[in-house]
Amino acid sequence: MLACTVRCTMNAMNGRVLLLTFLTASGCGDGSPGPGGDADVLDGSTDGGGEPDATPPPDPCDPNPCDGPNRGVCESDTGDAACLCDSGFEERGGECLPADSCDEGTCNTRGTCRLEATGPECDCELGFAGRFCSECDASSGYYDDGSGGCTLDACDPSPCDDPERRLCEVVDGTASCLCNAGTHDEGGACVTDVTCTDTTCSGNGECALISDGTECTCDAGWDGDRCGECDEVLGYHPDGAGGCTMDICRPNPCTEPLRSVCTDDAGFPRCDCEVGAHLEIDTCVRDEVCEAATCSGNGDCTLVMGRTDCVCRTGFAGVSCGMCDVGYHPDGLGGCTTDVCLPNPCTAPLQTVCVAAGATATCECDPGAHPDGSGGCTTDPCLPDLCLAMNQACRVVAGAAECYVPVCDDMNPCTDDVVVGGVCVYTDRGDGAACSTDICLEGETCLAEVCGGGSALDCDDGDPCTADSCGMAGCEWISDDSLIPTDDGIACTIGACESGIATHTPSNALCDDGSFCNGAETCNPGAGAGLDGCQPGTPPGAPAVSVPCDFYTCNEATTSFERTQLGTGAACDDGIACTSGDACDTFGVCLGAPTGACTPSTSCSTTSALETDFDVGLAPITGRITQNGAALPMATPDYENGVVLARAHDTGKLHRLRVIDWRRGSYPNYTRSAGSDLIETMLMPGSYDILYQRAYEA
């Protein structure tokens, strides 16, 4: 009886697809196995005539030219390389950005996609890993098989396609191609073993020397001349990790996502869900997780067959306890209640106090507020208004209501303003009614409730020293010393306003004729003055007394006195009539020789009158008395007087110059007589001190 087994594997090598056909024969064919005891044939792709096809064009995706950010998938369907986004990413605006939805290629067709808050997530098939199942599960020992799959055995499928080196061995996770079992490497060539080596029986049996070579006794589960195959007759098969096993769950046939738990069920593999997953219809899905929000925070969560189940707290209902139970309603704070005052139905201003009355609620005023008389609440003491009954208005004083009569003034002089019901009412006074919009206008009248017309108010008081105007209080008369009063008819006086009183002050400058030697003329209207009010001047006095031999003369050109001293013998006049030959002596004294008329008598028996005037010279004193540089006031509230005195240095005698008397009238209108501030008198020549004495009694 013949038994033949054929195993076919597709393997991608160097961009070409090779079909490796392993024929394991027991009594098949001509009984002439190849090296190692196995009939190993490499069946290349041919055109039927035994000759291989022409070399295919190079693959533009080998090596992969795609290295952009998240853009590492190469496709060459059109003959050119096209770089596509990696799994889990999608093209948006020319960039490969994380996908926000599940689609057919999200998990590289190696898993099941599910949407989480962070985006798509994948549950991968057995052997695959990574967020989008784009990697092999290295933590579980899986390798990239070079064909887009993952395997636990780097030698499955075998990369060894050399007929003499088909023995594949994993060294440090990498497949190595060794000489076929029963042969060994000598100088780079595989030669038949003549002694037992580690590879003579593929490492799966005991080697023995026989007369014509070696012989293998296979370990349990292995078969073949060199123990390189699993003993399928006894029910062994490759375990996917380089060994042979009778375990139906090795290699694991359960590769669906989350369904990798394999169990032998009467000789057939049964695939169950992994821990943390459960079966829904025919697919394993992750168990739901009890989280803080699973039961809306209103119940207790438990897992039942992988699904969450909520037991709601009192007052809550629904699958996720997200609604209120029968008889309950939302309390406005995220809970459920039977309290009619939750949430508070009282939202009117100052009326938020809720009072439950069975199944209904009433709204009362807040603390500090009171009913306003209209169904609402207020803090205004004037509501409700208790002043209306007295035809008064209400205002708040110190936090309490106070009734008062309002002052009604609409600022329109053509209306009558009255209080009606505590409120101001304004009534038209009618056309032609007298009115006033400006205190500085007179004769205004009303027309269509508008006051107008009139003329400016005359405020002239006839006083030349006041500025006449009309202001807020009507006519105003303000003393203005910058004004000039009317002329008094005297040329040498200057008119001025002083403290609101018109004055005419004498000005000597207006009388000065410019001559030095005839003295300074003065303005002193009165006796001796001309029509212009000017008095003639008094010639200036010489620096010393002139005598006939030593005298002074006035020089107008130099405005000074020139001294003339006559020499001895110079003719002079001694002023004595009974002398002759008057001449200056050596002492500068004018002397004459007495004549007979000068004979003295020893006694006077008679007297006779002086035949000539005896002139005693007097000095005129004129001026004005001022106070602090200004004119003396005309009025004073004090009953008093004063006097200005001149005290002679030689005799100490006092000479009264002027009495100032403020005793005219009665308090508070004491006044002084006009002109009592002027001094016009004469003094004997000499030196004087000027004194002022208050409260002088004449």
Side-chain angles (χ1 to χ4, degrees):
M1 179 177 180
L2 299 177
C4 298
T5 301
V6 178
R7 182 176 63 193
C8 300
T9 305
M10 298 296 292
N11 186 26
M13 295 295 292
N14 299 324
R16 299 181 62 189
V17 178
L18 304 178
L19 176 63
L20 302 181
T21 304
F22 297 93
L23 302 179
T24 302
S26 177
C28 292
D30 60 2
S32 303
D38 292 338
D40 298 335
V41 178
L42 174 61
D43 186 6
S45 176
T46 68
D47 58 3
E51 295 296 330
D53 293 340
T55 302
D59 186 352
C61 287
D62 187 16
N64 189 346
C66 302
D67 60 357
N70 307 315
R71 192 185 293 273
V73 177
C74 183
E75 283 191 1
S76 59
D77 294 344
T78 62
D80 296 320
C83 295
L84 307 180
C85 293
D86 297 340
S87 294
F89 293 85
E90 60 187 15
E91 184 90 22
R92 290 204 302 269
E95 296 183 77
C96 289
L97 303 177
D100 55 8
S101 62
C102 288
D103 60 30
E104 187 175 335
T106 300
C107 299
N108 280 296
T109 69
R110 295 296 187 182
T112 302
C113 181
R114 54 188 167 82
L115 277 178
E116 299 290 347
T118 57
E121 298 288 342
C122 292
D123 294 319
C124 302
E125 292 180 0
L126 185 67
F128 291 88
R131 180 177 177 182
F132 301 112
C133 306
S134 58
E135 308 164 7
C136 289
D137 188 359
S139 63
S140 298
Y142 283 87
Y143 300 89
D144 187 343
D145 65 3
S147 300
C150 297
T151 179
L152 289 170
D153 186 358
C155 287
D156 184 16
S158 175
C160 303
D161 55 0
D162 185 340
E164 293 184 351
R165 294 179 180 271
R166 290 192 178 278
L167 180 60
C168 183
E169 183 176 295
V170 178
V171 179
D172 295 331
T174 303
S176 297
C177 295
L178 308 178
C179 292
N180 294 339
T183 66
H184 62 277
D185 186 283
E186 286 188 10
C190 292
V191 298
T192 302
D193 293 341
V194 294
T195 61
C196 289
T197 68
D198 291 342
T199 62
T200 302
C201 298
S202 304
N204 301 318
E206 296 291 332
C207 175
L209 293 175
I210 58 176
S211 58
D212 58 351
T214 58
E215 182 180 58
C216 293
T217 302
C218 298
D219 294 341
W222 293 93
D223 195 11
D225 290 346
R226 299 297 174 186
C227 305
E229 302 173 358
C230 292
D231 190 351
E232 294 181 356
V233 174
L234 294 180
Y236 285 87
H237 62 272
D239 65 1
C244 295
T245 183
M246 297 178 70
D247 187 350
I248 198 170
C249 288
R250 294 179 61 196
N252 193 346
C254 302
T255 61
E256 293 182 21
L258 304 176
R259 197 172 186 176
S260 63
V261 178
C262 179
T263 305
D264 188 340
D265 187 5
F268 294 95
R270 185 183 76 241
C271 295
D272 296 321
C273 297
E274 299 170 3
V275 175
H278 62 277
L279 192 66
E280 288 189 6
I281 304 177
D282 195 34
T283 302
C284 288
V285 297
R286 291 184 181 274
D287 290 345
E288 296 177 354
V289 178
C290 285
E291 298 177 343
T294 300
C295 298
S296 304
N298 303 319
D300 299 321
C301 176
T302 59
L303 284 180
V304 179
M305 299 297 289
R307 291 178 173 273
T308 57
D309 182 69
C310 292
V311 178
C312 299
R313 291 199 295 271
T314 301
F316 294 91
V319 175
S320 60
C321 305
M323 62 180 65
C324 292
D325 205 352
V326 177
Y328 289 80
H329 63 271
D331 63 2
L333 302 173
C336 295
T337 183
T338 58
D339 188 347
V340 294
C341 284
L342 286 177
N344 191 347
C346 302
T347 58
L350 302 175
Q351 196 174 14
T352 62
V353 177
C354 179
V355 178
T360 60
T362 58
C363 297
E364 297 183 356
C365 295
D366 296 347
H370 60 272
D372 62 2
S374 302
C377 295
T378 183
T379 57
D380 187 350
C382 286
L383 287 177
D385 191 349
L386 303 178
C387 301
L388 290 177
M390 297 180 288
N391 192 28
Q392 294 182 359
C394 182
R395 63 187 171 194
V396 178
V397 178
E402 178 184 85
C403 296
Y404 72 101
V405 178
V407 177
C408 297
D409 185 2
D410 63 355
M411 306 303 291
N412 187 347
C414 290
T415 61
D416 289 324
D417 308 335
V418 296
V419 179
V420 178
V423 180
C424 292
V425 176
Y426 308 100
T427 306
D428 183 7
R429 296 179 58 202
D431 293 348
C435 61
S436 176
T437 61
D438 191 334
I439 196 171
C440 294
L441 293 177
E442 58 184 356
E444 291 182 282
T445 58
C446 294
L447 178 63
E449 291 193 35
V450 177
C451 183
S455 58
L457 185 63
D458 183 7
C459 292
D460 186 5
D461 64 351
D463 187 340
C465 288
T466 59
D468 306 336
S469 64
C470 189
M472 296 292 293
C475 286
E476 297 177 350
W477 301 278
I478 300 174
S479 295
D480 186 352
D481 288 352
S482 67
L483 298 176
I484 305 299
T486 55
D487 191 358
D488 63 352
I490 300 175
C492 67
T493 60
I494 299 175
C497 291
E498 297 179 1
S499 302
I501 298 175
T503 63
H504 298 276
T505 305
S507 174
N508 292 336
L510 298 177
C511 292
D512 188 4
D513 63 359
S515 175
F516 170 74
C517 293
N518 65 355
E521 294 77 16
T522 60
C523 180
N524 188 9
L531 294 177
D532 57 0
C534 294
Q535 296 280 0
T538 300
V545 176
S546 294
V547 293
C549 293
D550 187 0
F551 55 90
Y552 291 85
T553 57
C554 183
N555 188 328
E556 190 71 42
T558 61
T559 65
S560 64
F561 281 86
E562 294 181 356
R563 183 178 182 179
T564 301
Q565 292 178 298
L566 299 179
T568 302
C572 61
D573 183 2
D574 64 1
I576 300 174
C578 64
T579 62
S580 63
D582 300 342
C584 297
D585 67 8
T586 57
F587 296 103
V589 176
C590 184
L591 295 176
T595 65
C598 293
T599 301
S601 61
T602 57
S603 63
C604 294
S605 58
T606 60
T607 61
S608 61
L610 187 64
E611 295 180 356
T612 61
D613 293 334
F614 185 78
D615 184 25
V616 178
L618 293 177
I621 301 296
T622 61
R624 181 182 292 275
I625 304 171
T626 61
Q627 180 176 308
N628 293 329
L632 288 179
M634 287 298 294
T636 177
D638 296 322
Y639 179 82
E640 62 179 52
N641 58 10
V643 63
V644 179
L645 303 169
R647 182 174 59 193
H649 283 191
D650 53 353
T651 65
K653 297 296 184 179
L654 295 175
H655 302 270
R656 188 173 69 185
L657 302 180
R658 190 67 176 175
V659 175
I660 308 168
D661 190 353
W662 279 287
R663 292 184 295 181
R664 298 174 60 195
S666 59
Y667 180 82
N669 297 312
Y670 296 122
T671 60
R672 66 176 174 84
S673 59
S676 62
D677 58 345
L678 299 177
I679 295 176
E680 297 179 12
T681 186
M682 307 290 284
L683 283 177
M684 292 290 291
S687 298
Y688 296 84
D689 292 328
I690 303 302
L691 305 178
Y692 173 73
Q693 179 180 338
R694 280 182 75 239
Y696 173 80
E697 291 292 338

